[in-house]
Amino acid sequence: MFSSIDLLEQWCVDRAAAGQKILGLCAPPGSGKSWLASQLQIRLSVASLSLDDLYWPQPQLQQYQRGLPGSHDLPLLKQVLADFRQHGKAMAPCFVKGLAAGAGDRQGQRPLVGDLLLLEGWCVGARGVPTLQRYQPLWQQLDGLLLLRPPSYGRVMRWRLQAEAKQRRRGEAWLPATELDRVVRVPGLSNIWVPPIRNRIDMLATGIKSPVGIKVSGASLAEIDRLTGEIER
């Protein structure tokens, strides 16, 4: 049985043999696109670029909801794709999500060099969505597009929660439950957080591995009500 990275590698090899230069990789938020792309760079002469790196810098990014259409610097992305197609190399910005108090900001640049450029993002290549109309000229520059379908949307949620938990344990910037809900939301769909996902979010937000119940005793209902109010505060 072939793994996902094996299949992605063979797809890129076949595309490169056909003379193609710029490929797209699309999958839901949190499904492992960036990890697959990083592993691919170890195996092949492939430069990987996340659409996340094309977020507007601060303070311009504050005008948009990060991750949704409009929050990306499309003129810069157009230039990066054109440079890579012509020269086989380009300079791309680096976006660090932990900067600006968790809002994220650009920090420097990095070179993109390789036989192929793999552009990955949740909306890469998407069509038929009015808010993505301005992205269409860029998608037309893709020589090929691969859509990854995870086993289930619930599995994607679990993977993303695990990633956030690792960042929290390392003392790095991590997303609270409300922000995570926004980031992994696909336009047109609503997230329904049910156990065990709901329990996992509570654990991330509080650091406590299970719900906490407090038994309050008192001489009267009024006293119990007063004590309960103090605990809630």
Side-chain angles (χ1 to χ4, degrees):
M1 177 180 289
F2 293 100
S3 66
S4 298
I5 185 61
D6 291 330
L7 295 173
L8 180 58
E9 178 182 5
Q10 188 58 53
W11 180 70
C12 288
V13 169
D14 293 342
R15 293 288 180 166
Q20 299 181 351
K21 294 282 291 183
I22 301 176
L23 304 177
L25 179 63
C26 177
S31 58
K33 301 180 299 298
S34 297
W35 181 85
L36 284 172
S38 67
Q39 295 302 302
L40 190 64
Q41 291 182 103
I42 300 174
R43 302 186 176 203
L44 299 174
S45 177
V46 173
S48 173
L49 175 63
S50 172
L51 192 60
D52 290 355
D53 282 323
L54 275 299
Y55 288 138
W56 292 105
Q58 297 291 355
Q60 192 171 357
L61 183 60
Q62 297 177 13
Q63 304 174 33
Y64 307 94
Q65 184 171 333
R66 196 182 85 189
L68 294 186
S71 60
H72 304 101
D73 187 345
L74 299 187
L76 180 56
L77 177 56
K78 179 181 179 181
Q79 185 62 53
V80 171
L81 296 181
D83 288 346
F84 192 90
R85 185 175 295 280
Q86 182 176 358
H87 306 292
K89 59 183 180 180
M91 294 297 295
C94 297
F95 190 88
V96 181
K97 297 177 181 178
L99 296 179
D105 199 1
R106 288 185 188 172
Q107 186 177 67
Q109 293 181 303
R110 65 183 179 91
L112 301 175
V113 182
D115 297 329
L116 285 173
L117 173 62
L118 185 65
L119 175 65
E120 54 95 355
W122 75 268
C123 63
V124 169
R127 300 176 181 176
V129 181
T131 54
L132 289 172
Q133 188 60 40
R134 294 189 298 114
Y135 291 68
Q136 299 312 305
L138 297 171
W139 301 161
Q140 291 173 6
Q141 295 191 40
L142 301 176
D143 299 319
L145 177 66
L146 184 65
L147 176 63
L148 297 181
R149 187 178 68 179
S152 68
Y153 193 53
R155 184 73 62 86
V156 172
M157 297 290 194
R158 187 184 308 169
W159 290 338
R160 186 58 190 259
L161 287 166
Q162 291 171 346
E164 295 299 326
K166 288 180 181 179
Q167 290 185 203
R168 184 177 186 274
R169 288 194 295 269
R170 292 196 296 259
E172 301 175 358
W174 64 286
L175 296 177
T178 53
E179 182 69 7
L180 180 61
D181 179 81
R182 182 189 65 78
V183 170
V184 301
R185 180 175 297 149
V186 176
L189 299 176
S190 298
N191 294 331
I192 300 177
W193 302 95
V194 296
I197 296 174
R198 176 72 258 178
N199 298 341
R200 187 67 170 165
I201 290 177
D202 292 339
M203 192 195 82
L204 281 173
T206 64
I208 300 172
K209 293 185 178 181
S210 62
V212 176
I214 300 177
K215 184 177 181 179
V216 180
S217 299
S220 65
L221 290 177
E223 178 69 7
I224 292 174
D225 185 64
R226 183 185 66 79
L227 293 173
T228 302
E230 291 181 0
I231 293 172
E232 290 179 347
R233 290 192 293 270

